[in-house]
Amino acid sequence: MEINPTTPAPSGDPALVRDVKKRRTFAIISHPDAGKTTLTEKLLLFGGAIQMAGTVKARKSGRYATSDWMEVERERGISVASSVMQFSHGDCVFNLLDTPGHKDFSEDTYRVLTAVDAAIMVVDAAKGVEEQTIKLLEVCRLRDTPIITFINKMDREVREPLELLDEIESILKIHCAPVTWPIGMGKRFQGVYHLLNNEILRFKAGEENANQQFESLQGLGEAALKERFPLEADTLLSEIELVRGAGDSFDLDAFLQGKQSPVFFGSGINNFGVREVLHALADWAPPPQPREAVERVVLPAEPKFTGFVFKIQANMDPQHRDRIAFFRVCSGRYSPNMKVRHRRTGKDMKIANAVVFMANERTRMDDAVAGDIIGIHNHGQLHIGDTLTEGEALQYKGIPYFAPELFSRPRLRDPLRAKQLNKGLLELGEEGAVQVFEPFTDNTLLIGAVGQLQFEVVAHRLKTEYGVDASFENAGIYTARWVTSPDAQHLAEFTKSNTLKLAKDVDGNLVYLADTRVNLMLAQERWPKIAFHDTREHGQLLNSA
Ligand code: G4P
């Protein structure tokens, strides 16, 4: 990223510079069941942030029914606290941001990825690259986020490692640089060969001890290898030769640019390979980076506090209508009760009682620097994409709306509540809970989401916050695209020919609603001078409206 010459010099405060450098803010992306929860837990155990296995698993509650989910949400704290987990290991302070999956997959899952500096991609070695991983990686690619790959479940009968790497490279379009290489698999999984350290780490099954030391064999020659691993040595030697000869070797710059991913093989459930991944995060993943605002690039160690909201968690309890805004600090230092300027409204506000996330609650502290996440209680003033600063007029970029993949139309059980329904939907749309569109040829608002849970949350909030009882019907739409064109006349022609398929979003931007994938492709072919966008920035007014 180019650093704007008008950027103020970094802080002269060495403590701030030191604290920022220690931060590693990351997410784990994977398809359900690849092992994200297991790896999260093992990382937390390894980092000493939790003492007992099962702590994270117990809340892996994407699997429970919606009614149970509401119940859990009501007991706030649980889901809020586990959305961000901070722990220290060695010299680093890690912020692990949860990417909700399973049933609670939603636009939040995507947005969390706009607030991290690196990601770990977990791939199930038996299944290879799966659908949700592809989607999440596309979102990482918007910001060229560096990716560390962990190929999990090597203790099972899985696919050939070379085939897996080929698949990652061809489907995800990212170069793979194996750092460890598996020796056997399943019942004959012997461990991994560390290509950079010329070391073999022996696998030993065992779920309990996160800090277990695996036997390490340094610099074994060919003869010694054959003696130790008579069945696997030949394959290992030829694969290593192939990987060394034809594959990429690890290149830190390519990794930091999001072009190459270091690859580790292991077994999360057995703690095997977890330490290597954590070390890769500490040694290679970037600390908080300069962040682009509309006005200028902000450096993480600048003294003045700034940051942005990337997620809103509404309290589902009707007695308490406050919300928690998840806020990524981008510069300066947070202190309790500090006064900040809310850029969108131009008003000043005090951040009282912010939640500072610690996986280990005993060491709770009221301090946060760039890379950290704080939870700000508010009553609806804060929307997704909002920037808070210590006075400077700044608007952070890169927190987009994502093209919805599910659409529905609300149906009122009491037709007299139509006004409240529209008010509620528009407000929830502005907040970012769901996307709201006004079709050109229909008076009913259309609701778009990335995950089914968003509709359920909206139905619940309409009832508790607006007294509106509504159900949602499938609207039979495949996807939406924001449309723009530099040629106003061309855009007017497009609009005239497609009135039935057009709508406006909450900010008045023009949106094309395609009922099928083919319909979208045809529209793109027929109107080559119209740009169809699958994301748009919060608060951004496109030239079409
Ligand atoms: P997710 O969050 O990505 O959805 O995956 P999760 O960690 O819950 O793992 C999914 C399943 O895969 C779990 O089994 C888990 O125990 C298993 N698993 C994770 N890592 C490994 C591994 O390295 N090797 C093997 N063999 N299995 C692994 P489950 O039966 O669905 O759940 P549970 O009954 O074990 O909790």
Side-chain angles (χ1 to χ4, degrees):
M1 187 188 297
E2 287 266 307
I3 294 181
N4 188 320
T6 61
T7 303
S11 164
D13 174 357
L16 181 61
V17 174
R18 186 199 59 216
D19 288 351
V20 169
K21 273 196 184 149
K22 284 183 180 176
R23 263 50 188 186
R24 298 289 182 277
T25 302
F26 72 104
I28 304 181
I29 60 175
S30 70
H31 192 81
D33 281 338
K36 186 188 73 166
T37 313
T38 307
L39 184 63
T40 301
E41 180 151 306
K42 302 297 181 181
L43 287 170
L44 294 181
L45 276 167
F46 205 90
I50 53 172
Q51 311 308 321
M52 245 171 56
T55 317
V56 181
K57 272 227 160 296
R59 81 147 280 265
K60 184 190 173 178
S61 305
R63 285 172 178 167
Y64 42 96
T66 311
S67 53
D68 298 339
W69 177 84
M70 296 293 183
E71 213 45 59
V72 171
E73 287 297 290
R74 239 174 252 142
E75 297 166 16
R76 217 173 46 202
I78 297 181
S79 58
V80 169
S82 49
S83 303
V84 179
M85 291 155 270
Q86 188 180 78
F87 62 98
S88 309
H89 183 70
D91 278 343
C92 287
V93 176
F94 297 91
N95 293 304
L96 169 48
L97 275 54
D98 187 32
T99 47
H102 286 277
K103 247 182 140 303
D104 46 4
F105 186 81
S106 71
E107 213 172 338
D108 279 346
T109 312
Y110 289 158
R111 288 191 197 118
V112 161
L113 296 175
T114 67
V116 299
D117 303 308
I120 300 175
M121 171 168 77
V122 182
V123 174
D124 181 328
K127 298 199 176 136
V129 175
E130 297 175 88
E131 185 202 335
Q132 208 151 295
T133 312
I134 301 175
K135 282 191 195 169
L136 295 170
L137 203 87
E138 271 169 23
V139 177
C140 290
R141 193 156 280 138
L142 293 174
R143 295 180 52 245
D144 297 326
T145 305
I147 310 284
I148 294 168
T149 302
F150 182 63
I151 301 191
N152 191 27
K153 307 196 186 179
M154 291 308 297
D155 59 318
R156 287 193 179 166
E157 294 307 322
V158 292
R159 289 169 52 188
E160 288 302 325
L162 283 168
E163 187 190 310
L164 285 167
L165 292 198
D166 264 358
E167 186 170 293
I168 295 173
E169 295 205 330
S170 61
I171 299 184
L172 300 177
K173 309 265 177 302
I174 188 161
H175 293 288
C176 289
V179 175
T180 63
W181 194 261
I183 309 172
M185 64 170 76
K187 290 209 173 66
R188 294 224 36 105
F189 182 45
Q190 307 288 339
V192 292
Y193 173 68
H194 198 296
L195 281 99
L196 304 184
N197 300 351
N198 190 19
E199 176 191 22
I200 284 175
L201 292 165
R202 289 299 308 266
F203 172 70
K204 190 161 156 270
E207 293 185 27
E208 295 75 28
N209 186 0
N211 280 312
Q212 83 186 71
Q213 291 295 322
F214 294 98
E215 186 191 356
S216 147
L217 309 170
Q218 284 285 344
L220 285 194
E222 204 178 311
L225 259 182
K226 286 189 173 162
E227 199 187 313
R228 292 284 302 234
F229 308 106
L231 295 181
E232 293 84 12
D234 284 340
T235 312
L236 175 68
L237 287 166
S238 65
E239 284 179 346
I240 294 289
E241 198 182 320
L242 205 71
V243 166
R244 283 232 162 96
D248 285 24
S249 52
F250 177 65
D251 174 345
L252 185 60
D253 285 336
F255 163 65
L256 291 173
Q257 289 162 22
K259 292 184 181 142
Q260 189 202 65
S261 176
V263 179
F264 296 85
F265 289 83
S267 169
I269 196 103
N270 291 298
N271 308 297
F272 189 75
V274 176
R275 185 187 61 174
E276 284 65 37
V277 167
L278 195 61
H279 286 177
L281 268 175
D283 297 343
W284 300 334
Q289 293 297 292
R291 188 110 200 171
E292 228 175 312
V294 173
E295 297 77 6
R296 66 180 182 87
V297 171
V298 179
L299 301 181
E302 284 181 27
K304 296 266 177 164
F305 174 83
T306 67
F308 62 85
V309 176
F310 63 93
K311 172 174 162 176
I312 304 270
Q313 179 114 16
N315 185 353
M316 305 311 265
D317 184 346
Q319 304 299 314
H320 298 98
R321 294 178 70 164
D322 61 338
R323 283 141 226 197
I324 291 191
F326 285 74
F327 182 90
R328 151 118 190 182
V329 180
C330 294
S331 67
R333 195 183 279 280
Y334 159 77
S335 58
N337 290 316
M338 74 189 299
K339 208 175 84 180
V340 289
R341 173 80 41 89
H342 183 203
R343 169 69 209 271
R344 183 171 49 78
T345 60
K347 290 187 180 145
D348 286 337
M349 61 182 278
K350 198 162 85 170
I351 312 183
N353 305 322
V355 183
V356 180
F357 298 97
M358 302 293 284
N360 184 348
E361 278 162 29
R362 287 171 307 160
T363 50
R364 193 195 154 87
M365 56 176 185
D366 288 320
D367 178 35
V369 301
D372 290 340
I373 311 298
I374 58 176
I376 305 174
H377 288 274
N378 74 102
H379 296 283
Q381 305 92 308
L382 292 176
H383 295 172
I384 285 161
D386 281 356
T387 300
L388 301 178
T389 69
E390 274 185 89
E392 186 178 349
L394 276 180
Q395 172 62 48
Y396 278 110
K397 297 204 282 190
I399 317 112
Y401 282 100
F402 295 89
E405 291 154 29
L406 302 166
F407 293 84
S408 65
R409 285 198 179 83
R411 289 276 171 257
L412 268 179
R413 297 210 168 89
D414 174 0
L416 295 176
R417 306 290 292 168
K419 225 167 110 188
Q420 286 83 350
L421 172 73
N422 277 12
K423 177 174 184 283
L425 286 178
L426 289 172
E427 285 184 10
L428 292 173
E430 281 167 9
E431 180 191 295
V434 78
Q435 293 191 46
V436 179
F437 303 101
E438 288 179 68
F440 277 23
T441 54
D442 187 348
N443 287 334
T444 318
L445 293 175
L446 191 66
I447 313 300
V450 160
Q452 187 62 33
L453 186 77
Q454 286 174 266
F455 295 130
E456 289 160 27
V457 169
V458 164
H460 188 84
R461 290 185 61 186
L462 281 173
K463 204 167 184 176
T464 52
E465 294 174 29
Y466 299 89
V468 174
D469 194 359
S471 61
F472 290 90
E473 285 174 6
N474 187 339
I477 293 169
Y478 163 69
T479 192
R481 290 289 182 270
W482 287 275
V483 285
T484 58
S485 171
D487 181 342
Q489 199 186 339
H490 191 67
L491 193 65
E493 279 166 34
F494 172 81
T495 308
K496 209 167 141 207
S497 309
N498 291 283
T499 331
L500 285 174
K501 294 212 174 316
L502 290 174
K504 288 203 164 169
D505 70 13
V506 272
D507 289 326
N509 295 303
L510 195 58
V511 180
Y512 180 81
L513 304 166
D515 38 22
T516 60
R517 182 198 291 263
V518 175
N519 170 273
L520 176 63
M521 278 162 51
L522 288 176
Q524 285 167 320
E525 270 171 32
R526 207 167 289 153
W527 299 90
K529 284 195 272 175
I530 300 281
F532 293 76
H533 309 269
D534 56 8
T535 58
R536 86 150 165 105
E537 285 283 323
H538 277 263
Q540 182 187 19
L541 295 183
L542 301 168
N543 64 4
S544 57

